[in-house]
């Protein structure tokens, strides 16, 4: 039953917000997420997902999965790879700088996967041999390892992180183009559902196509420089752009603006770059053999969480969009410990839970109202509901959205409809 884990009493939850921002973190997302107890840092670029962070991550993954299931099936590939798989494409040496590589006790070279083109191409050889097997697509949501140099952007750049990676296989470019457009739409839907607007941005594309496409969310913390035309929406990564500023090269009317972007997704036409060396081929109608045309499509799960934190907060703390919030309601019981008040608050909690609303119930004894309010602002759950002696006296609760100044008094029975609306 999902319901049983969907609501929680704060007194029993593995959670303790921090009084101060961590001193060794420069990134806003890391500061907020560590202080709010969503994550714990083990080392630079490596984080534990504490219960709150874990719940956000689960929601982000659920949205991604929902959209990806319309594009292909899900599976799971291993993180530990033998050298031979990577030697086939020359990337064992080519990716030495980012790939964790070591020897096992038998002296064999193995590595932790920073990406999975080689592995998927090997797997696909078992599935694809004829034009009748094409097109095909498959995705996974899996842990990647990258030896990123000095990661200092919190969840935006991890050394261990979760990626959704989708791979598609085609007999011809027409089929590839058609599928690629579907993925673009699905990506926009994913980001929109979690409160993010991502600009489809042209970026360097490799051999097969002039451009790949990055999905860039505008944010101060963005490590990428993007040229954007706000009039027509055209965007290009400044790293590769010939134009630097001036009139938009697409619509000819808007002006190109320089913005900072966080790359939350990247889609890439690979052509036969991986299929050829691995021997992933198919026979066409006439029995002729061709390498399979491939594309890959990535989304960074933790990077998305970090991006939401960067773009959804105020000076008091986080402000989660409802679709990815760890809970929908933060119920605070404040004031003197009193049986009547406790019973009333417990009932408000039980009723919301029964109606399927996810509640974090701050039932901690001996914690001041001020501390509970500050924690609620820091954690950033969309709705705050307060039960106090004052509200109890009128058999009501006080409710407000995170970010609003004024609370309303409503009856407990009106609450569920209000927060579900
Ligand atoms: P960047 O240019 O930011 O280093 P990348 O181009 O190397 O990223 P891809 O290989 O395209 O990244 O990976 C697909 C997606 O995975 C990226 O769009 C991003 O959302 C995510 N991602 C990549 N590297 C990291 C990382 N170190 N930590 C968290 N997410 C990452
Ligand atoms: Mg990329």
């Amino acid at each position: 039953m999902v319901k049983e884990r969907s609501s929680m009493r704060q007194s029993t939850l593995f959670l303790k917000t921090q009084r101060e921002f961590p001193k060794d973190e420069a990134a806003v997302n890391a500061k907020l997420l560590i202080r709010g107890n969503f994550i714990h840092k083990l080392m630079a670029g490596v984080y534990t997902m504490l219960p709150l962070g874990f719940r956000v991550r689960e929601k982000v993954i659920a949205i991604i999965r929902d959209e990806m299931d319309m594009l292909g099936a899900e599976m799971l590939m291993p993180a530990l790879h033998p050298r031979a798989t990577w030697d086939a494409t020359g990337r064992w040496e080519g990716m030495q700088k980012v790939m964790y590589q070591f020897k096992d006790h038998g002296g064999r070279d193995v590595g932790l996967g920073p990406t999975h083109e080689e592995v998927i191409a090997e797997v696909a050889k078992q599935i694809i041999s004829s034009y009748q097997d094409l097109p095909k697509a498959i995705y996974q949501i899996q842990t990647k390892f990258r030896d990123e140099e000095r990661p200092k952007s919190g969840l935006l750049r991890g050394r261990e992180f979760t990626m959704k990676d989708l791979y598609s296989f085609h007999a011809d470019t027409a089929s590839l183009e058609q599928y690629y457009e579907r993925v673009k739409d699905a990506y926009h839907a994913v980001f929109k559902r979690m409160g993010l607007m991502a600009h489809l941005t042209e970026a360097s594309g490799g051999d097969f196509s002039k451009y790949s496409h990055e999905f860039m969310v505008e944010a101060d913390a963005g490590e990428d420089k993007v040229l954007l035309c706000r009039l027509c929406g055209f965007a290009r990564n400044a790293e590769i752009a010939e134009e630097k500023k001036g009139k938009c090269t697409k619509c000819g009317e808007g002006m190109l603006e320089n913005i900072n972007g966080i790359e939350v997704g990247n889609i890439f036409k690979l052509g036969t770059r991986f299929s050829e060396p691995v021997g992933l081929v198919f026979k066409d109608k006439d029995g002729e053999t061709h390498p399979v045309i491939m594309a890959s499509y990535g989304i960074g799960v933790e990077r998305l969480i970090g991006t939401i934190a960067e773009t959804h907060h105020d000076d008091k703390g986080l402000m989660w969009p409802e679709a990815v919030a760890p809970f929908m309601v933060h119920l605070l019981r404040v004031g003197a410990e009193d049986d009547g008040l406790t019973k009333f608050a417990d009932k408000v909690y039980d009723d919301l839970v029964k109606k399927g609303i996810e509640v974090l119930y701050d039932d901690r004894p001996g914690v001041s109202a001020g501390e509970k309010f500050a924690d609620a602002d820091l954690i950033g759950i969309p709705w705050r509901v307060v039960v106090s002696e004052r509200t109890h006296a009128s058999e009501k609760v006080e409710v407000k959205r995170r970010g609003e100044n004024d609370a309303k008094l409503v009856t407990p029975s009106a609450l569920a409809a209000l927060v579900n609306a």
Side-chain angles (χ1 to χ4, degrees), residues 83-95 99 115-119 121-122 272-279 294:
R83 173 174 182 159
T85 300
W86 285 79
D87 269 340
T89 61
R91 288 212 295 182
W92 177 264
E93 287 184 345
M95 288 197 80
M99 188 171 180
T115 179
H116 277 73
E117 282 82 5
E118 281 80 356
V119 176
E122 214 174 291
T272 58
R273 159 84 176 87
F274 295 92
S275 51
E276 225 159 345
V278 170
M294 287 174 61

Side-chain angles (χ1 to χ4, degrees), residues 146 148 156-158 161 163 263-266 298-300 303:
R146 291 187 184 182
E148 301 276 4
L156 300 180
R157 190 171 293 286
F161 63 95
M163 194 198 288
E263 181 201 310
V264 289
N266 194 186
I299 291 181
R303 184 173 289 185

Side-chain angles (χ1 to χ4, degrees), residues 33 76 85 107 121 181 298:
L33 292 166
L76 184 61
T85 300
E181 292 306 311

Side-chain angles (χ1 to χ4, degrees), residues 216-418:
M216 292 285 190
V217 173
E218 189 172 353
D220 293 340
E223 291 180 13
D224 287 273
K225 295 266 181 267
V226 177
L227 289 164
L228 171 71
C229 170
R230 291 196 197 272
L231 197 65
C232 71
F234 168 76
R236 186 172 283 169
N237 196 313
E239 209 173 75
I240 52 141
E242 287 136 38
E243 62 272 66
K244 286 295 167 214
K245 50 176 166 250
K247 278 248 159 83
C248 173
T249 39
K250 184 144 181 223
C251 70
E253 292 198 20
M255 295 301 281
L256 290 174
E257 220 181 284
N258 260 292
I259 63 160
N260 292 330
I262 301 173
E263 181 201 310
V264 289
N266 194 186
I267 60 178
F268 219 99
K269 292 170 193 162
L270 302 170
T272 58
R273 159 84 176 87
F274 295 92
S275 51
E276 225 159 345
V278 170
L280 171 61
V281 294
F282 72 99
K283 281 204 163 65
D284 68 15
K285 280 197 180 90
D286 306 319
E288 265 186 57
T289 300
H290 308 273
V292 171
I293 294 172
M294 287 174 61
S296 71
Y297 316 83
I299 291 181
V301 173
E302 289 81 10
R303 184 173 289 185
L304 273 175
I305 299 171
T307 303
I308 296 167
E310 291 282 344
T311 53
H312 292 72
H313 68 268
D314 62 13
D315 53 4
K316 296 190 176 112
L318 292 153
M319 303 169 86
W320 294 104
E322 287 184 7
V324 295
F327 295 89
M328 187 64 107
V329 170
H330 203 167
L331 172 64
L332 318 185
R333 189 183 74 213
V334 305
E337 307 300 320
D338 166 280
D339 274 358
L341 180 64
T342 300
K343 273 207 188 99
F344 180 61
D346 284 358
K347 181 155 185 335
V348 172
Y349 176 62
D350 289 341
D351 286 351
L352 286 172
V353 173
K354 270 191 208 120
K355 289 188 175 133
I357 292 166
E358 296 177 356
V359 188
L360 177 62
Y361 177 17
D362 193 349
D363 61 338
R364 291 173 297 167
V367 177
S368 74
E371 269 177 88
K372 288 191 179 184
F373 291 143
D375 271 356
D377 281 341
L378 181 60
I379 291 169
I381 292 168
W383 291 90
R384 191 189 79 182
V385 174
V386 176
V387 174
S388 65
E389 285 116 7
R390 187 171 72 87
T391 73
H392 182 210
S394 58
E395 293 289 312
K396 287 192 170 151
V397 300
E398 205 185 81
V399 57
K400 80 170 186 77
R401 268 181 197 277
R402 173 73 178 86
E404 277 177 0
N405 287 325
D406 301 316
K408 277 200 281 245
L409 272 178
V410 302
T411 59
S413 57
L415 203 52
L418 189 70

